PDB file of all heavy atoms in Angstrom:
ATOM      1  N   LEU H  32     -42.112-124.443  72.432  1.00 94.00           N
ATOM      2  CA  LEU H  32     -42.836-124.239  71.093  1.00 94.00           C
ATOM      3  C   LEU H  32     -41.945-124.113  69.845  1.00 94.00           C
ATOM      4  O   LEU H  32     -42.044-124.780  68.828  1.00 94.00           O
ATOM      5  CB  LEU H  32     -43.702-122.886  71.177  1.00 94.00           C
ATOM      6  CG  LEU H  32     -45.059-122.982  71.819  1.00 94.00           C
ATOM      7  CD1 LEU H  32     -45.716-121.654  71.779  1.00 94.00           C
ATOM      8  CD2 LEU H  32     -45.874-124.029  71.225  1.00 94.00           C
ATOM      9  N   ARG H  33     -40.727-123.394  70.022  1.00 94.00           N
ATOM     10  CA  ARG H  33     -39.794-123.362  69.036  1.00 94.00           C
ATOM     11  C   ARG H  33     -39.277-124.689  68.655  1.00 94.00           C
ATOM     12  O   ARG H  33     -39.088-125.061  67.534  1.00 94.00           O
ATOM     13  CB  ARG H  33     -38.666-122.396  69.356  1.00 94.00           C
ATOM     14  CG  ARG H  33     -37.897-122.139  68.004  1.00 94.00           C
ATOM     15  CD  ARG H  33     -36.579-121.105  68.416  1.00 94.00           C
ATOM     16  NE  ARG H  33     -35.628-121.955  69.002  1.00 94.00           N
ATOM     17  CZ  ARG H  33     -35.104-121.916  70.223  1.00 94.00           C
ATOM     18  NH1 ARG H  33     -35.574-120.907  71.065  1.00 94.00           N
ATOM     19  NH2 ARG H  33     -34.164-122.699  70.673  1.00 94.00           N
ATOM     20  N   ARG H  34     -38.838-125.391  69.596  1.00 93.00           N
ATOM     21  CA  ARG H  34     -38.413-126.716  69.405  1.00 93.00           C
ATOM     22  C   ARG H  34     -39.359-127.649  68.689  1.00 93.00           C
ATOM     23  O   ARG H  34     -39.046-128.412  67.794  1.00 93.00           O
ATOM     24  CB  ARG H  34     -37.931-127.493  70.772  1.00 93.00           C
ATOM     25  CG  ARG H  34     -37.307-128.726  70.728  1.00 93.00           C
ATOM     26  CD  ARG H  34     -36.864-129.234  72.096  1.00 93.00           C
ATOM     27  NE  ARG H  34     -37.875-129.273  73.132  1.00 93.00           N
ATOM     28  CZ  ARG H  34     -37.844-128.725  74.299  1.00 93.00           C
ATOM     29  NH1 ARG H  34     -36.685-128.173  74.732  1.00 93.00           N
ATOM     30  NH2 ARG H  34     -38.810-128.702  75.161  1.00 93.00           N
ATOM     31  N   TYR H  35     -40.662-127.631  69.161  1.00 93.00           N
ATOM     32  CA  TYR H  35     -41.675-128.454  68.606  1.00 93.00           C
ATOM     33  C   TYR H  35     -41.913-128.052  67.076  1.00 93.00           C
ATOM     34  O   TYR H  35     -41.926-128.876  66.284  1.00 93.00           O
ATOM     35  CB  TYR H  35     -43.079-128.218  69.344  1.00 93.00           C
ATOM     36  CG  TYR H  35     -44.302-128.548  68.699  1.00 93.00           C
ATOM     37  CD1 TYR H  35     -44.563-129.805  68.352  1.00 93.00           C
ATOM     38  CD2 TYR H  35     -45.313-127.732  68.467  1.00 93.00           C
ATOM     39  CE1 TYR H  35     -45.829-130.303  67.834  1.00 93.00           C
ATOM     40  CE2 TYR H  35     -46.443-127.925  67.835  1.00 93.00           C
ATOM     41  CZ  TYR H  35     -46.767-129.390  67.527  1.00 93.00           C
ATOM     42  OH  TYR H  35     -47.935-129.777  67.058  1.00 93.00           O
ATOM     43  N   CYS H  36     -42.084-126.736  66.806  1.00 93.00           N
ATOM     44  CA  CYS H  36     -42.221-126.254  65.464  1.00 93.00           C
ATOM     45  C   CYS H  36     -41.006-126.484  64.565  1.00 93.00           C
ATOM     46  O   CYS H  36     -41.076-126.808  63.426  1.00 93.00           O
ATOM     47  CB  CYS H  36     -42.495-124.684  65.536  1.00 93.00           C
ATOM     48  SG  CYS H  36     -44.185-124.378  66.251  1.00 93.00           S
ATOM     49  N   ALA H  37     -39.815-126.400  65.218  1.00 92.00           N
ATOM     50  CA  ALA H  37     -38.605-126.628  64.431  1.00 92.00           C
ATOM     51  C   ALA H  37     -38.500-128.073  63.896  1.00 92.00           C
ATOM     52  O   ALA H  37     -38.190-128.373  62.797  1.00 92.00           O
ATOM     53  CB  ALA H  37     -37.403-126.361  65.158  1.00 92.00           C
ATOM     54  N   ARG H  38     -38.942-128.982  64.836  1.00 90.00           N
ATOM     55  CA  ARG H  38     -38.954-130.334  64.375  1.00 90.00           C
ATOM     56  C   ARG H  38     -40.057-130.627  63.447  1.00 90.00           C
ATOM     57  O   ARG H  38     -39.822-131.530  62.547  1.00 90.00           O
ATOM     58  CB  ARG H  38     -39.198-131.249  65.636  1.00 90.00           C
ATOM     59  CG  ARG H  38     -37.906-131.284  66.578  1.00 90.00           C
ATOM     60  CD  ARG H  38     -38.117-132.266  67.733  1.00 90.00           C
ATOM     61  NE  ARG H  38     -36.962-132.272  68.446  1.00 90.00           N
ATOM     62  CZ  ARG H  38     -35.745-132.810  68.310  1.00 90.00           C
ATOM     63  NH1 ARG H  38     -35.461-133.359  67.147  1.00 90.00           N
ATOM     64  NH2 ARG H  38     -34.792-132.778  69.256  1.00 90.00           N
ATOM     65  N   LEU H  40     -41.236-128.400  61.200  1.00 88.00           N
ATOM     66  CA  LEU H  40     -41.067-127.771  59.941  1.00 88.00           C
ATOM     67  C   LEU H  40     -39.608-128.032  59.351  1.00 88.00           C
ATOM     68  O   LEU H  40     -39.329-127.598  58.219  1.00 88.00           O
ATOM     69  CB  LEU H  40     -41.089-126.175  60.254  1.00 88.00           C
ATOM     70  CG  LEU H  40     -42.536-125.768  60.645  1.00 88.00           C
ATOM     71  CD1 LEU H  40     -42.396-124.293  61.124  1.00 88.00           C
ATOM     72  CD2 LEU H  40     -43.447-125.900  59.617  1.00 88.00           C
ATOM     73  N   ASN H  41     -38.573-128.450  60.195  1.00 85.00           N
ATOM     74  CA  ASN H  41     -37.290-128.605  59.832  1.00 85.00           C
ATOM     75  C   ASN H  41     -36.697-127.243  59.437  1.00 85.00           C
ATOM     76  O   ASN H  41     -35.815-127.203  58.348  1.00 85.00           O
ATOM     77  CB  ASN H  41     -37.192-129.640  58.717  1.00 85.00           C
ATOM     78  CG  ASN H  41     -37.504-131.061  59.066  1.00 85.00           C
ATOM     79  OD1 ASN H  41     -37.305-131.366  60.148  1.00 85.00           O
ATOM     80  ND2 ASN H  41     -38.192-131.738  58.143  1.00 85.00           N
ATOM     81  N   ASP H  42     -36.969-126.176  60.041  1.00 86.00           N
ATOM     82  CA  ASP H  42     -36.557-124.900  59.746  1.00 86.00           C
ATOM     83  C   ASP H  42     -36.693-124.121  60.984  1.00 86.00           C
ATOM     84  O   ASP H  42     -37.824-123.757  61.457  1.00 86.00           O
ATOM     85  CB  ASP H  42     -37.351-124.374  58.551  1.00 86.00           C
ATOM     86  CG  ASP H  42     -36.750-122.885  58.176  1.00 86.00           C
ATOM     87  OD1 ASP H  42     -35.850-122.800  57.609  1.00 86.00           O
ATOM     88  OD2 ASP H  42     -37.551-121.840  58.449  1.00 86.00           O
ATOM     89  N   GLU H  43     -35.410-123.584  61.437  1.00 90.00           N
ATOM     90  CA  GLU H  43     -35.464-122.919  62.761  1.00 90.00           C
ATOM     91  C   GLU H  43     -36.126-121.416  62.501  1.00 90.00           C
ATOM     92  O   GLU H  43     -36.929-120.949  63.505  1.00 90.00           O
ATOM     93  CB  GLU H  43     -34.035-122.641  63.218  1.00 90.00           C
ATOM     94  CG  GLU H  43     -33.400-123.899  63.830  1.00 90.00           C
ATOM     95  CD  GLU H  43     -33.916-124.265  65.111  1.00 90.00           C
ATOM     96  OE1 GLU H  43     -34.356-123.453  65.873  1.00 90.00           O
ATOM     97  OE2 GLU H  43     -33.792-125.519  65.422  1.00 90.00           O
ATOM     98  N   GLN H  44     -35.880-120.760  61.504  1.00 90.00           N
ATOM     99  CA  GLN H  44     -36.347-119.422  61.302  1.00 90.00           C
ATOM    100  C   GLN H  44     -37.914-119.505  61.135  1.00 90.00           C
ATOM    101  O   GLN H  44     -38.613-118.508  61.859  1.00 90.00           O
ATOM    102  CB  GLN H  44     -35.832-118.686  60.107  1.00 90.00           C
ATOM    103  CG  GLN H  44     -36.277-117.254  59.895  1.00 90.00           C
ATOM    104  CD  GLN H  44     -36.002-116.382  61.204  1.00 90.00           C
ATOM    105  OE1 GLN H  44     -34.910-116.380  61.709  1.00 90.00           O
ATOM    106  NE2 GLN H  44     -36.908-115.723  61.652  1.00 90.00           N
ATOM    107  N   SER H  45     -38.450-120.338  60.353  1.00 90.00           N
ATOM    108  CA  SER H  45     -39.859-120.510  60.330  1.00 90.00           C
ATOM    109  C   SER H  45     -40.609-120.874  61.648  1.00 90.00           C
ATOM    110  O   SER H  45     -41.624-120.489  62.011  1.00 90.00           O
ATOM    111  CB  SER H  45     -40.226-121.566  59.189  1.00 90.00           C
ATOM    112  OG  SER H  45     -39.827-121.113  57.954  1.00 90.00           O
ATOM    113  N   ALA H  46     -39.831-121.785  62.392  1.00 92.00           N
ATOM    114  CA  ALA H  46     -40.276-122.053  63.716  1.00 92.00           C
ATOM    115  C   ALA H  46     -40.426-120.942  64.584  1.00 92.00           C
ATOM    116  O   ALA H  46     -41.365-120.717  65.282  1.00 92.00           O
ATOM    117  CB  ALA H  46     -39.395-123.244  64.363  1.00 92.00           C
ATOM    118  N   GLU H  47     -39.425-119.953  64.562  1.00 94.00           N
ATOM    119  CA  GLU H  47     -39.391-118.834  65.323  1.00 94.00           C
ATOM    120  C   GLU H  47     -40.592-117.860  64.888  1.00 94.00           C
ATOM    121  O   GLU H  47     -41.279-117.222  65.728  1.00 94.00           O
ATOM    122  CB  GLU H  47     -38.030-117.999  65.222  1.00 94.00           C
ATOM    123  CG  GLU H  47     -37.912-116.977  66.119  1.00 94.00           C
ATOM    124  CD  GLU H  47     -37.825-117.416  67.717  1.00 94.00           C
ATOM    125  OE1 GLU H  47     -37.397-118.444  67.957  1.00 94.00           O
ATOM    126  OE2 GLU H  47     -38.524-116.591  68.509  1.00 94.00           O
ATOM    127  N   ASP H  48     -40.849-117.815  63.569  1.00 92.00           N
ATOM    128  CA  ASP H  48     -41.923-116.967  63.108  1.00 92.00           C
ATOM    129  C   ASP H  48     -43.268-117.512  63.631  1.00 92.00           C
ATOM    130  O   ASP H  48     -44.103-116.746  63.926  1.00 92.00           O
ATOM    131  CB  ASP H  48     -41.955-116.952  61.617  1.00 92.00           C
ATOM    132  CG  ASP H  48     -40.736-116.252  60.976  1.00 92.00           C
ATOM    133  OD1 ASP H  48     -40.047-115.417  61.712  1.00 92.00           O
ATOM    134  OD2 ASP H  48     -40.360-116.407  59.755  1.00 92.00           O
ATOM    135  N   VAL H  49     -43.421-118.902  63.661  1.00 93.00           N
ATOM    136  CA  VAL H  49     -44.580-119.495  64.122  1.00 93.00           C
ATOM    137  C   VAL H  49     -44.907-119.118  65.669  1.00 93.00           C
ATOM    138  O   VAL H  49     -45.897-118.865  65.910  1.00 93.00           O
ATOM    139  CB  VAL H  49     -44.558-120.887  63.818  1.00 93.00           C
ATOM    140  CG1 VAL H  49     -45.725-121.694  64.649  1.00 93.00           C
ATOM    141  CG2 VAL H  49     -44.693-121.218  62.354  1.00 93.00           C
ATOM    142  N   VAL H  50     -43.752-119.249  66.388  1.00 94.00           N
ATOM    143  CA  VAL H  50     -43.839-118.858  67.823  1.00 94.00           C
ATOM    144  C   VAL H  50     -44.316-117.423  68.012  1.00 94.00           C
ATOM    145  O   VAL H  50     -45.158-117.243  68.787  1.00 94.00           O
ATOM    146  CB  VAL H  50     -42.620-119.151  68.577  1.00 94.00           C
ATOM    147  CG1 VAL H  50     -42.589-118.721  70.047  1.00 94.00           C
ATOM    148  CG2 VAL H  50     -42.194-120.684  68.537  1.00 94.00           C
ATOM    149  N   GLN H  51     -43.745-116.546  67.242  1.00 94.00           N
ATOM    150  CA  GLN H  51     -44.182-115.170  67.352  1.00 94.00           C
ATOM    151  C   GLN H  51     -45.653-114.998  67.019  1.00 94.00           C
ATOM    152  O   GLN H  51     -46.385-114.312  67.589  1.00 94.00           O
ATOM    153  CB  GLN H  51     -43.290-114.302  66.481  1.00 94.00           C
ATOM    154  CG  GLN H  51     -41.855-114.209  66.878  1.00 94.00           C
ATOM    155  CD  GLN H  51     -41.630-113.722  68.275  1.00 94.00           C
ATOM    156  OE1 GLN H  51     -42.255-112.787  68.724  1.00 94.00           O
ATOM    157  NE2 GLN H  51     -40.789-114.437  68.905  1.00 94.00           N
ATOM    158  N   ASN H  52     -46.114-115.598  65.884  1.00 92.00           N
ATOM    159  CA  ASN H  52     -47.466-115.486  65.436  1.00 92.00           C
ATOM    160  C   ASN H  52     -48.450-116.221  66.471  1.00 92.00           C
ATOM    161  O   ASN H  52     -49.405-115.722  66.726  1.00 92.00           O
ATOM    162  CB  ASN H  52     -47.670-116.371  64.175  1.00 92.00           C
ATOM    163  CG  ASN H  52     -47.041-115.653  63.003  1.00 92.00           C
ATOM    164  OD1 ASN H  52     -46.705-114.562  63.078  1.00 92.00           O
ATOM    165  ND2 ASN H  52     -46.803-116.364  61.906  1.00 92.00           N
ATOM    166  N   GLU H  85     -47.657-123.512  57.272  1.00 84.00           N
ATOM    167  CA  GLU H  85     -46.322-123.341  56.667  1.00 84.00           C
ATOM    168  C   GLU H  85     -45.920-124.536  55.708  1.00 84.00           C
ATOM    169  O   GLU H  85     -45.412-124.335  54.712  1.00 84.00           O
ATOM    170  CB  GLU H  85     -45.198-123.057  57.638  1.00 84.00           C
ATOM    171  CG  GLU H  85     -45.263-121.754  58.372  1.00 84.00           C
ATOM    172  CD  GLU H  85     -45.000-120.598  57.425  1.00 84.00           C
ATOM    173  OE1 GLU H  85     -43.968-120.723  56.521  1.00 84.00           O
ATOM    174  OE2 GLU H  85     -45.849-119.644  57.449  1.00 84.00           O
ATOM    175  N   LEU H  91     -40.557-124.533  52.639  1.00 47.00           N
ATOM    176  CA  LEU H  91     -39.479-124.843  53.602  1.00 47.00           C
ATOM    177  C   LEU H  91     -38.489-125.841  53.116  1.00 47.00           C
ATOM    178  O   LEU H  91     -38.754-126.756  52.462  1.00 47.00           O
ATOM    179  CB  LEU H  91     -40.067-125.352  54.911  1.00 47.00           C
ATOM    180  CG  LEU H  91     -41.055-124.247  55.624  1.00 47.00           C
ATOM    181  CD1 LEU H  91     -41.721-125.066  56.842  1.00 47.00           C
ATOM    182  CD2 LEU H  91     -40.359-123.079  56.017  1.00 47.00           C
TER     183      LEU H  91
END
Side-chain angles (χ1 to χ4, degrees):
L32 278 179
R33 192 184 79 244
R34 186 175 52 228
Y35 166 64
C36 292
R38 289 190 184 281
L40 299 170
N41 297 321
D42 181 73
E43 288 288 336
Q44 185 57 51
S45 293
E47 190 62 40
D48 293 344
V49 166
V50 170
Q51 296 302 318
N52 289 342
E85 289 294 313
L91 300 174

